[in-house]
Amino acid sequence: MDGHWDGYDSVGGSVPLDLVNTVSWRRDPARRDDRLSTPVRLSEWVVLVGAGDERLEISEAVLETVKAFRETLYRVLVSDPPDAGPLRKSLVSAYRHAELAPSLPLRWTVPLVNDTALPHILALATEDLLRSGDLDRIRECEGPGCGWIFTDHTRNRSRRWCSSSDCGNRARAKRHYDKGARDKVPRD
């Protein structure tokens, strides 16, 4: 990989959230960076997050399908109240291509035999995430402009940033700067 993924960490806590996080600075149009800019980037990401063991040859059509799914998932996650309805089409299609594993607990899988399986794998992983009991722990980073999504695994549910060393550090530095600026203002 050529450094395109520098600064990208799998902070979401699941493959679907990490997919959403392939857009950096989502809420800041001037800085927005779509890391899935080419089929090769998507192939690298699949390996990076462990969704596949080897790089796939991915078509432009599959790239566009995955990116559209990513944006739909983001809208579902940040909607209030959440509405999973827009995911229906992707899930129905995934089940058409899925196989039921011959073991318990029941689990639908889609073998990653070619690139066309990837959107179905991502849809089923999303369904697993959205069926989990951790939905109230899914948060959006409070960093201005960030837009990354993560699962808050802290005991007291107090995580505020995608990364304490990134957005969290910026927030602490801003607080420190603002405090210093307030202290320097002459008072009458």
Side-chain angles (χ1 to χ4, degrees):
M1 291 183 217
D2 62 8
H4 183 76
W5 294 102
D6 289 349
Y8 173 87
D9 290 317
S10 299
V11 301
S14 69
V15 170
L17 298 184
D18 288 333
L19 174 64
V20 168
N21 294 343
T22 58
V23 175
S24 296
W25 303 108
R26 178 182 292 280
R27 294 190 176 267
D28 183 349
R31 296 171 70 186
R32 185 179 170 106
D33 179 23
D34 185 348
R35 293 176 189 263
L36 298 184
S37 55
T38 66
V40 170
R41 301 288 185 229
L42 176 55
S43 182
E44 291 171 351
W45 177 83
V46 168
V47 174
L48 184 71
V49 298
D53 296 333
E54 58 188 59
R55 287 180 53 177
L56 291 170
E57 188 74 32
I58 294 180
S59 69
E60 282 288 336
V62 168
L63 173 65
E64 292 308 315
T65 300
V66 168
K67 287 169 70 169
F69 179 78
R70 173 189 67 190
E71 296 310 307
T72 299
L73 176 57
Y74 175 75
R75 287 189 301 277
V76 166
L77 292 170
V78 298
S79 63
D80 188 24
D83 175 15
L87 296 173
R88 184 181 190 287
K89 183 179 177 183
S90 297
L91 288 169
V92 168
S93 181
Y95 276 108
R96 283 191 191 119
H97 293 87
E99 301 169 355
L100 188 57
S103 62
L104 294 177
L106 292 178
R107 183 160 205 82
W108 290 93
T109 61
V110 177
L112 187 59
V113 293
N114 59 42
D115 70 328
T116 60
L118 184 58
H120 307 306
I121 291 168
L122 295 172
L124 291 177
T126 297
E127 183 185 31
D128 284 347
L129 171 69
L130 297 179
R131 282 182 183 240
S132 77
D134 291 338
L135 291 179
D136 59 337
R137 290 183 174 270
I138 295 176
R139 309 239 192 295
E140 185 172 15
C141 180
E142 291 181 18
C146 180
W148 273 17
I149 306 287
F150 58 87
T151 303
D152 179 0
H153 291 291
T154 61
R155 187 183 329 208
N156 62 357
R157 300 175 187 219
S158 62
R159 184 173 166 189
R160 299 173 55 198
W161 302 290
C162 58
S163 167
S164 63
S165 63
D166 191 354
C167 287
N169 192 46
R170 275 192 207 89
R172 286 186 294 277
K174 182 176 181 340
R175 255 193 332 265
H176 178 74
Y177 175 81
D178 290 349
K179 183 180 183 292
R182 276 193 315 269
D183 292 344
K184 291 179 183 177
V185 173
R187 300 189 185 196
D188 295 331

